[in-house]
Amino acid sequence: MVSMYIPPTICVKKEDPVWKGSSFEEIILEQVILCQQSANKIKVTLYGLVGAGIYGQPYATIPQVAVQRAALIDLFRNNITLIGIGMTALILYLLIIAYQSLSRDEKLVYRYLMIASSFMIASLIQFVYRESSGSPEMYLIFEELGVTASPFIITYLFFAIRTLSVPDKAINRKLKAFLKYFPVVLLALALFSTKVKYIHIASTLSELYSLALIFSVLFFVFRYKILDFVFPISFLVMTGIETLYVLSFNKSNELMIHYGRFVFLVYVGTVTMGRFKKISASHERLKNENLIDSLTGVYNRKVIDLVPKKGTFVLLDLDGFKLINDKYGHVYGDQVLKRFAEIVKSHIRSEDYFIRLGGDKFCLIFNSVEEKDVHKIIIRLYNDCRNELNLGFSYGTAPFDDFDKAYETADKVMYEKKMEKYAQELKKREKR
């Protein structure tokens, strides 16, 4: 039994059982049964409450319509959501499996996708559990978690797409800190609020924040022509706009952003796994054709004829490696080469090629990085080698359209850099 304040005139919403429309019927209560000096109350026995929540506006209807409504909720919320949980968990599992064999930049993208997947699973679980827990307190807690899940998911999806689009340009630290902690503030506002209006505020801010990031992702997708993601991001934008409209005008419509996030994440995860599978198959084929250097585990010279003639060619030559062999022996020298190869592989993507040409001479062929960004990668690689191996290298670059031509050009550039280093060393010795 529940008590409700009832004015002298009541409007009861009556729904058509076949969902053709709805109408309002005005019921006038007899004055004789109303109290004129104080507020009137009426006690109503509820035999069932379907689909009501923070945003749903409850109304009285006939049992047949309530049964239809409950069936639709069970289908579009519970059943489809359970399928979504399973698919997202599968994507997360596959991402974890693929994670170990990726380069550093690829690992970063996958890490963001895994975090987003984890938040997605948590939000979908609450989406089902809150409907069936039977506890008003738990319902509200899960609802609060639900309205603030979007910023966490969209934030890490934004990080993933941003890194995928511009891998060699880091996000500003202050901006990244804001994007990471703003969702936490919204979650705290929702969880520790004592009034529903504050939950409304947190929810509106959550969707505004998410919508802004969605448009940012849309910009990167079109700016860098990541065509695989055009459909999911467009769908996500439409569901975000619909959700913002519902929240802004206090409508009782279903919030569609949940479905948009789910579709986007599953699509992105599937495309990413597809790319990884394609690259893995290509590399496995090359490996089976005896194209791998036995010492370092990188490609040998035989792969050069199979590499696409595009991108940037980088010739690498370790500095003073002969002295290391002479001083410490070939066994130690081999260990240095192995570790050098591991460091290099951690800096490049699966689409790029790292080849041992012989001895301590290697080359890199970048297919996934623009020429202007190659130098940044090489500098990071050089610093890591100096810090870990106390060993530097000289390098030269050239466009890769023909191996012999690229090698000749890069070798000249590398020789000039070696001479510069040698001159600098002589100056240092003279000062001593």
Side-chain angles (χ1 to χ4, degrees):
M1 301 286 286
V2 295
S3 296
M4 305 170 61
Y5 168 73
I6 297 294
T9 300
I10 328 171
C11 286
V12 179
K13 184 177 182 181
K14 303 178 84 175
E15 290 264 350
D16 188 310
V18 293
W19 296 88
K20 290 183 178 178
S22 61
S23 60
F24 286 94
E25 180 177 327
E26 188 175 36
I27 301 176
I28 307 297
L29 298 180
E30 296 290 340
Q31 294 293 322
V32 68
I33 66 173
L34 297 175
C35 178
Q36 304 296 326
Q37 288 77 28
S38 60
N40 293 278
K41 294 182 179 180
I42 184 172
K43 289 186 176 180
V44 179
T45 302
L46 296 178
Y47 292 98
L49 186 63
V50 179
I54 289 180
Y55 302 106
Q57 299 176 356
Y59 56 87
T61 188
I62 60 177
Q64 293 92 329
V65 173
V67 170
Q68 291 179 358
R69 173 76 172 171
L72 288 172
I73 288 176
D74 186 55
L75 173 63
F76 288 103
R77 283 191 182 174
N78 298 352
N79 294 344
I80 290 182
T81 301
L82 287 173
I83 294 172
I85 292 173
M87 291 184 67
T88 307
L90 178 61
I91 290 293
L92 179 59
Y93 173 70
L94 294 175
L95 290 173
I96 292 172
I97 291 177
Y99 182 80
Q100 300 302 322
S101 57
L102 300 173
S103 69
R104 184 168 63 179
D105 287 338
E106 288 172 326
K107 282 185 175 180
L108 190 59
V109 173
Y110 273 54
R111 196 179 305 141
Y112 290 144
L113 288 176
M114 286 189 286
I115 295 173
S117 299
S118 301
F119 278 113
M120 174 63 75
I121 291 172
S123 70
L124 291 175
I125 289 175
Q126 68 84 21
F127 205 67
V128 174
Y129 179 77
R130 68 178 188 177
E131 301 287 348
S132 57
S133 65
S135 167
E137 292 80 11
M138 290 302 298
Y139 181 95
L140 285 173
I141 290 174
F142 276 119
E143 187 72 25
E144 290 162 355
L145 291 172
V147 299
T148 53
S150 179
F152 288 100
I153 298 169
I154 300 298
T155 293
Y156 285 96
L157 287 176
F158 168 77
F159 287 157
I161 297 298
R162 169 65 172 69
T163 305
L164 192 64
S165 306
V166 198
D168 297 302
K169 188 175 181 181
I171 303 174
N172 180 275
R173 288 186 178 182
K174 291 183 179 179
L175 174 61
K176 191 171 185 179
F178 170 79
L179 294 176
K180 278 187 175 181
Y181 294 115
F182 185 71
V184 177
V185 174
L186 290 178
L187 177 61
L189 176 63
L191 285 177
F192 297 106
S193 298
T194 56
K195 295 183 180 180
V196 172
K197 72 174 184 179
Y198 293 122
I199 300 177
H200 274 287
I201 293 172
S203 179
T204 303
L205 289 175
S206 169
E207 299 307 331
L208 284 172
Y209 170 86
S210 300
L211 197 60
L213 280 189
I214 289 171
F215 278 108
S216 298
V217 172
L218 186 65
F219 167 78
F220 283 111
V221 166
F222 282 99
R223 169 66 177 79
Y224 295 97
K225 299 179 181 178
I226 312 177
L227 300 180
D228 292 338
F229 299 147
V230 170
F231 165 73
I233 188 59
S234 300
F235 183 75
L236 186 59
V237 168
M238 288 189 292
T239 58
I241 293 174
E242 184 271 347
T243 297
L244 184 61
Y245 168 77
V246 170
L247 296 177
S248 300
F249 294 94
N250 199 26
K251 301 291 183 179
S252 58
N253 306 56
E254 181 75 22
L255 300 181
M256 299 301 294
I257 189 67
H258 309 289
Y259 305 108
R261 294 198 308 261
F262 164 64
V263 169
F264 183 79
L265 183 60
V266 171
Y267 196 100
V268 170
T270 304
V271 169
T272 305
M273 289 306 304
R275 287 183 174 184
F276 173 78
K277 183 179 179 181
K278 183 178 179 181
I279 293 166
S280 297
S282 174
H283 284 199
E284 186 65 25
R285 177 179 62 82
L286 294 175
K287 184 177 180 180
N288 292 336
E289 293 179 5
N290 195 27
L291 303 173
I292 301 299
D293 177 63
S294 58
L295 175 64
T296 59
V298 303
Y299 291 120
N300 59 34
R301 296 180 67 100
K302 295 178 182 179
V303 79
I304 292 172
D305 292 334
L306 302 176
V307 176
K309 299 300 185 287
K310 62 178 183 178
T312 303
F313 178 88
V314 181
L315 186 62
L316 301 174
D317 189 13
L318 299 181
D319 294 335
F321 183 74
K322 184 178 183 304
L323 296 176
I324 292 176
N325 269 339
D326 293 342
K327 185 176 182 180
Y328 299 104
H330 289 282
V331 174
Y332 180 79
D334 288 348
Q335 293 176 351
V336 171
L337 289 177
K338 287 180 182 178
R339 185 56 193 144
F340 172 72
E342 291 172 358
I343 295 173
V344 175
K345 286 191 288 186
S346 71
H347 283 74
I348 64 174
R349 294 183 168 193
S350 302
E351 298 96 324
D352 305 321
Y353 294 84
F354 180 37
I355 305 167
R356 186 185 183 193
L357 299 176
D360 62 334
K361 188 165 287 188
F362 298 81
C363 74
L364 283 162
I365 300 174
F366 288 98
N367 287 325
S368 67
V369 183
E370 294 183 15
E371 184 178 357
K372 62 183 180 63
D373 295 320
V374 168
H375 181 70
K376 298 176 184 177
I377 297 175
I378 300 300
I379 292 299
R380 290 205 306 264
L381 173 60
Y382 182 86
N383 291 334
D384 283 358
C385 289
R386 291 291 299 175
N387 292 335
E388 186 167 340
L389 298 176
N390 194 27
L391 182 68
F393 57 80
S394 300
Y395 71 96
T397 62
F400 184 65
D401 47 15
D402 176 79
F403 174 75
D404 292 332
K405 181 180 177 182
Y407 184 94
E408 183 180 356
T409 303
D411 190 51
K412 289 180 180 178
V413 175
M414 185 176 69
Y415 179 78
E416 291 174 358
K417 290 186 177 182
K418 275 184 174 290
M419 291 299 99
E420 289 178 6
K421 283 185 180 181
Y422 183 70
Q424 291 174 357
E425 287 294 328
L426 285 178
K427 289 182 179 179
K428 288 180 180 179
R429 289 176 186 176
E430 290 174 358
K431 289 181 179 179
R432 291 175 187 173

